[in-house]
Amino acid sequence: MQHGKYRFIVGFLVAPLALYAVFVIWPFIQAIYYSFTDWTGLSPDFKMVGFANYKRMFEDDVFWKALQHSALFVVLLPLVTLGLALFFAFMINVGGRHRKGAAVSGVRGSGFYKIAYFFPQVLSIAIVAILFRFAYSPNDGAINGALNAVGLDSLAQDWLGDPNVALWSIMAVLVWSTVGFFVVLFSAGMASIPKDFYEAALLDGAGRATTFFKITMPLLWDTIQSGWIYMGILALGAEAFASVQIMSVGPGGPDYSTTVLPLYVWQSAFRDANAAYATTIGVALLVLTLLFAAVVMRLGRRERLEF
């Protein structure tokens, strides 16, 4: 029986593991291999150059700028996005005032708020980036127009043309476009927490802040940790690339102030026709992603709570 069981399990695992190896593992191996060559990406001819691409990368000022910007993305975006999502989800589910017949409830109109927060998820990041590129326009954009209309002319500026604020403007768009997904995710997790826990805390005189930090966060910790890793991968991947590619000047400007690693990989491969160097930067991006996930998993390790 045991032998037959293992054969049955292996039979189900062979196909998905084979597909994973072909379409995920093998491209990683190829990328690492090509990083040791001088391949242009336009010709089948190439030769091995050893660690020349890595030496060039460590001496490349643009790479270090892109690395710094990606590090800001991977630290600040999850922190701000998940913090806002937790606050909104808590208020929607258990942060309302006591009403007759319900000791624990969300704020009034919580159903509408869920839809409103989730709405940006209906739009692709490309559409969101195009809309905000027009909104950030210094002359006829909606943001400067609104500031001028309420007498805050001093705050109006060239949001995407100023090197000091361009990166922060793009990060704000990413927060706006992704926070709704985590509001819904955390709301689903909070809905599964027994109301008895909150009612007992209220009877003991606990306020909103106490119930959030003593009940909600510990019981949602696994979901928060997974969301942190997922958001970090988005910040190092397609979301960051698409937003910077569409919204920034250049793209990546002005003066490389918005260049991130995914964009620099694309520019090296398709603008500069240097696929080998692009794969070298891609390997660095892979290492950064793995380090980020490992750090989050290590720092977020704690005793599992069940209810």
Side-chain angles (χ1 to χ4, degrees), residues 6 11 40 59 62 67 75 88 116 141 158 163 179 181 197 206-207 214 220 244 253 276:
Y6 291 134
T40 64
E59 296 173 351
V62 178
L67 179 62
V75 172
F88 292 146
D158 188 357
V179 70
F181 170 80
F197 291 1
K214 298 297 185 180
L220 275 183
V244 174

Side-chain angles (χ1 to χ4, degrees), residues 99-124:
R99 296 198 290 269
K100 186 176 180 179
V104 178
S105 61
V107 296
R108 294 185 183 275
S110 57
F112 168 78
Y113 291 135
K114 284 183 182 180
I115 296 173
Y117 292 141
F118 191 75
F119 175 74
Q121 287 293 309
V122 179
L123 306 175
S124 71

Side-chain angles (χ1 to χ4, degrees), residues 120 123-133 173-174 176-177 247:
L123 306 175
S124 71
I125 186 60
I127 295 175
V128 171
I130 292 172
L131 291 175
F132 272 92
R133 183 174 182 178
V173 174
L174 286 173
W176 179 86
S177 65
M247 295 177 63

Side-chain angles (χ1 to χ4, degrees), residues 22-46:
V22 171
F23 293 105
V24 178
I25 302 300
W26 181 242
F28 285 151
I29 296 174
Q30 284 184 310
I32 295 172
Y33 173 75
Y34 284 126
S35 69
F36 294 101
T37 70
D38 64 350
W39 185 43
T40 64
L42 303 176
S43 169
D45 301 324
F46 60 85

